[in-house]
Amino acid sequence: MLASKLILKCLERENVEFVFGYPGGALLPLYEALRTSPIKHILVRNEQAGPHYASGYARESGRVGVCLATSGPGATNLVTGIATAYLDSIPIVAITGQVNRDLIGTDAFQEADITGATAPFTKHSYLVKDAADIPRIIREAFYIASTGRPGPVLIDIPRDVQLESIKTGLTYDKVDILGYKPNLHGHSGQIKRATKKIKEAERPVIYAGGGVLLGHAEKELLAFAEKDNIPVITSLMGIGAFPEDHLLYCGIVGSHGYEYSNVVMNEADLIINIGARMSDRATSKLTSFEENTDFVHIDIDPAEIGKNMETTIPIVGDAKTVLIDFIAKDTSKDHATWLAKIKEIKEQHPLVYDADPPCSDLINPKVMFRSMSEMTSDDSTLVADVGLNQIWSALYYHVSKERKFFTSGGLGTMGYSIPAACGVCFATLDHPKEVFAVCGDGSFQMSMGELGVIAEHQLNVKIILITNKKLGMVRQLQCDVYGKGHYSGTDINFDIDFMKLAEAYSIKSYKVDKNEDFIKVLPEAIKHQGPVLIQCQVHPDFIRI
């Protein structure tokens, strides 16, 4: 069979349902084979969005997302999306076309060393030099992407390799990669040491990161926290790992987290970190953390342990497996005094919803997202972009029960929400659900071409577009660092008619400038079968989060 058809047969064996791609000369053979393949191809409107579609699909479905691009500029357009997936540990496989093997290294038309360009932020990459290796490479790529700490894998396939006619079966089943043996089980000695620390601690806190979600350990985390009444704080990527309506939930920590969460973390004498890398964004408000606190760090990636924070007890292992071990141990202790102290801290640092005049004349996004929490279904998925819209939704939209919250947390990639939300929609076509893409007017314009995909497939995504004619997050940083009025390069001066833009794509749309109006139109938008755009006008000086 032709190697191009063999590639698709191998993808079928990996249960690939959709590929998100953009064709080009170096992928012509593969796209010819796609015509008769059961795999559905979704034509993205820019290759830059392809990895984000795959990311949203992977995060919602729990399967590996796949994106395609041709050689040269097509492949390099994937770079930011691949890096986004790498920083957030999302399992995707990116397949790129490449010039013929004899042209590699000659600066041929649309040639780019994409394996070299993406080496710093892929788990692994392949340049296919022999078509007979295709079954092994694709099997390994999916295995690497989805096991251990998940992440992106790139497969670069020259055009002449795709055209080879070969005799080969799909017999490559066993994966045995030298040097790649993810460790799922925590060391029994370290588990014992950690158990002793937990039993001795007076003020323990569980810090839950994205690793809890990636390890599908939410139920185990809840059981462990409830067993000994240990409060739980999450990272931005850990939102959804623990129900926010639970009495033990203590918010989100970090530079953009809740004030009381940072105080609680600073007061703790033991932090049990599960699947969080302790990035600078999370630790910038932790003033006394390292001096007075014991630190148990659980992570499936040994490179993360001790990288950013000195660790008292490191445990390399899968979050779910290690938590099951903890649950089985006797770590009981009365934490009533500590929980009473936390209640006092919450009262001293309450959430502030009020907006200062003249900001109160338009929509208050804090109130808007709190209202949205009360009106959306218990299994909805909200995909936030990057900027103030991300922080407002993270802090004030309640994630509990079966709700999910996705965002670009590590790289902070603007333009993520719309294509990622589309990926969520494709992952749930057979069981439609409420899907929301939240973005600002800056991030929206980075991916608004994907409205074409939304309209073509009538995806049931509701876009919450927060507009203030500013790049709000950068503007806030400029205000914090240089003082009010010291703004540069953050004005979006052209007055865009987003209603006409939505009309051009036959997308139902609303424009609101009052919270009561948003509360009125949101149920209508949710009820509508198909895409909806809701433009929410916020005052440009509403920059406090």
Side-chain angles (χ1 to χ4, degrees):
M1 101 176 31
L2 280 173
S4 56
K5 290 190 175 182
L6 178 61
I7 293 166
L8 295 175
K9 289 294 183 184
C10 291
L11 294 181
E12 289 173 35
R13 288 197 75 197
E14 301 298 335
N15 298 314
V16 172
E17 186 181 13
F18 294 97
V19 292
F20 305 98
Y22 205 98
L27 277 182
L28 282 182
L30 186 59
Y31 270 82
E32 170 60 18
L34 261 173
R35 286 194 311 109
T36 54
S37 171
I39 295 174
K40 303 176 185 69
H41 175 265
I42 306 301
L43 177 65
V44 302
R45 296 318 193 247
N46 190 315
E47 296 100 341
Q48 293 176 17
H52 300 330
Y53 278 86
S55 170
Y57 179 88
R59 295 173 81 164
E60 180 66 37
S61 68
R63 296 154 69 180
V64 177
V66 181
C67 57
L68 303 176
T70 191
S71 63
T76 56
N77 267 344
L78 299 180
V79 168
T80 299
I82 291 172
T84 301
Y86 183 77
L87 265 291
D88 289 340
S89 305
I90 309 302
I92 70 171
V93 169
I95 299 175
T96 54
Q98 184 56 274
V99 299
N100 291 348
R101 284 169 288 186
D102 62 335
L103 293 177
I104 293 175
T106 67
D107 291 335
F109 176 67
Q110 290 196 333
E111 180 197 358
D113 178 11
I114 193 61
T115 55
T118 58
F121 36 78
T122 50
K123 281 191 74 176
H124 196 60
S125 60
Y126 297 90
L127 173 61
V128 182
K129 297 178 181 178
D130 187 341
D133 292 333
I134 287 171
R136 173 184 63 82
I137 286 173
I138 290 179
R139 180 80 277 272
E140 287 182 357
F142 276 76
Y143 177 75
I144 293 170
S146 60
T147 56
R149 178 181 179 176
V153 176
L154 183 131
I155 307 174
D156 196 28
I157 312 177
R159 176 173 172 169
D160 59 331
V161 171
Q162 300 169 45
L163 290 169
E164 282 189 22
S165 184
I166 57 173
K167 290 184 178 180
T168 182
L170 301 177
T171 57
Y172 194 84
D173 293 311
K174 185 180 179 182
V175 177
D176 186 14
I177 303 169
L178 186 66
Y180 182 71
K181 301 289 187 290
N183 180 44
L184 300 181
H185 298 278
H187 189 281
S188 58
Q190 297 297 81
I191 297 283
K192 187 176 180 180
R193 288 181 62 206
T195 301
K196 186 173 182 292
K197 280 289 183 187
I198 294 169
K199 198 172 178 67
E200 293 172 349
E202 299 288 337
R203 302 181 304 280
V205 165
I206 296 169
Y207 180 49
V212 175
L213 297 166
L214 292 166
H216 307 290
E218 299 95 317
K219 290 181 180 178
E220 288 73 19
L221 174 61
L222 179 62
F224 174 55
E226 288 182 335
K227 182 171 80 82
D228 295 321
N229 277 329
I230 302 176
V232 179
I233 292 174
T234 73
S235 67
L236 182 68
M237 291 301 296
I239 293 175
F242 195 81
E244 295 184 8
D245 55 359
H246 198 285
L247 288 174
L248 292 172
Y249 177 70
C250 288
I252 305 164
V253 77
S255 56
H256 297 304
Y258 297 114
E259 187 177 357
Y260 82 83
S261 304
N262 290 311
V263 175
V264 170
M265 198 81 134
N266 276 312
E267 292 278 342
D269 64 355
L270 173 67
I271 302 296
I272 307 164
N273 176 3
I274 309 171
R277 61 176 170 265
M278 303 304 292
S279 69
D280 58 318
R281 202 182 199 195
T283 60
S284 61
K285 298 289 186 179
L286 305 183
T287 54
S288 60
F289 182 75
E290 289 189 87
E291 299 174 9
N292 309 313
T293 310
D294 286 321
F295 188 47
V296 176
H297 193 166
I298 303 160
D299 205 295
I300 200 165
D301 182 1
E304 286 299 330
I305 294 179
K307 185 175 78 174
N308 296 321
M309 194 74 68
E310 187 176 342
T311 302
T312 311
I313 303 174
I315 301 176
V316 178
D318 172 68
K320 188 170 192 171
T321 305
V322 174
L323 280 168
I324 289 172
D325 288 338
F326 280 170
I327 292 168
K329 302 293 184 183
D330 177 18
T331 52
S332 58
K333 187 163 187 173
D334 184 6
H335 294 126
T337 303
W338 174 223
L339 294 177
K341 174 67 174 176
I342 289 174
K343 183 179 179 182
E344 183 181 315
I345 291 170
K346 286 182 178 181
E347 291 171 354
Q348 292 170 349
H349 304 275
L351 300 185
V352 179
Y353 289 91
D354 295 338
D356 297 328
C359 300
S360 55
D361 294 339
L362 296 173
I363 280 182
N364 180 330
K366 299 178 182 181
V367 175
M368 185 189 83
F369 281 111
R370 182 58 75 222
S371 301
M372 190 173 167
S373 301
E374 299 166 1
M375 302 166 70
T376 52
S377 67
D378 291 339
D379 67 343
S380 59
T381 296
L382 185 148
V383 185
D385 219 283
V386 172
L388 289 179
N389 68 86
Q390 176 191 47
I391 307 305
W392 285 327
S393 56
L395 296 182
Y396 300 101
Y397 180 78
H398 260 318
V399 180
S400 59
K401 297 182 180 177
E402 301 302 315
R403 286 180 180 172
K404 297 177 182 177
F405 177 92
F406 302 151
T407 192
S408 168
L411 199 64
T413 303
M414 289 178 68
Y416 175 81
S417 65
I418 290 177
C422 291
V424 172
C425 288
F426 283 113
T428 57
L429 283 180
D430 59 345
H431 53 286
K433 62 184 295 187
E434 293 176 12
V435 180
F436 300 93
V438 175
C439 49
D441 34 7
S443 53
F444 176 82
Q445 291 179 72
M446 286 191 173
S447 58
M448 65 185 184
E450 304 311 314
L451 293 178
V453 177
I454 293 172
E456 177 186 348
H457 296 276
Q458 281 299 290
L459 299 179
N460 194 38
V461 60
K462 317 305 178 186
I463 301 172
I464 310 299
L465 171 58
I466 300 175
T467 59
N468 57 9
K469 297 184 183 179
K470 309 293 178 186
L471 299 178
M473 177 66 84
V474 181
R475 195 169 187 265
Q476 173 167 310
L477 292 172
Q478 289 175 340
C479 179
D480 291 345
V481 175
Y482 300 108
K484 192 169 183 178
H486 289 257
Y487 306 125
S488 176
T490 54
D491 293 330
I492 304 174
N493 291 315
F494 187 73
D495 192 5
I496 301 166
D497 191 332
F498 292 107
M499 298 300 98
K500 286 186 178 178
L501 179 64
E503 183 183 356
Y505 286 97
S506 299
I507 294 175
K508 189 176 182 66
S509 61
Y510 301 90
K511 184 176 183 178
V512 294
D513 59 8
K514 295 285 187 295
N515 284 89
E516 52 267 32
D517 295 334
F518 177 80
I519 292 171
K520 181 180 178 181
V521 304
L522 183 61
E524 297 177 17
I526 293 172
K527 188 177 180 180
H528 177 72
Q529 294 302 307
V532 177
L533 171 69
I534 305 177
Q535 180 184 354
C536 306
Q537 294 180 283
V538 174
H539 195 280
D541 288 330
F542 200 117
I543 58 177
R544 289 188 298 108
I545 55 177

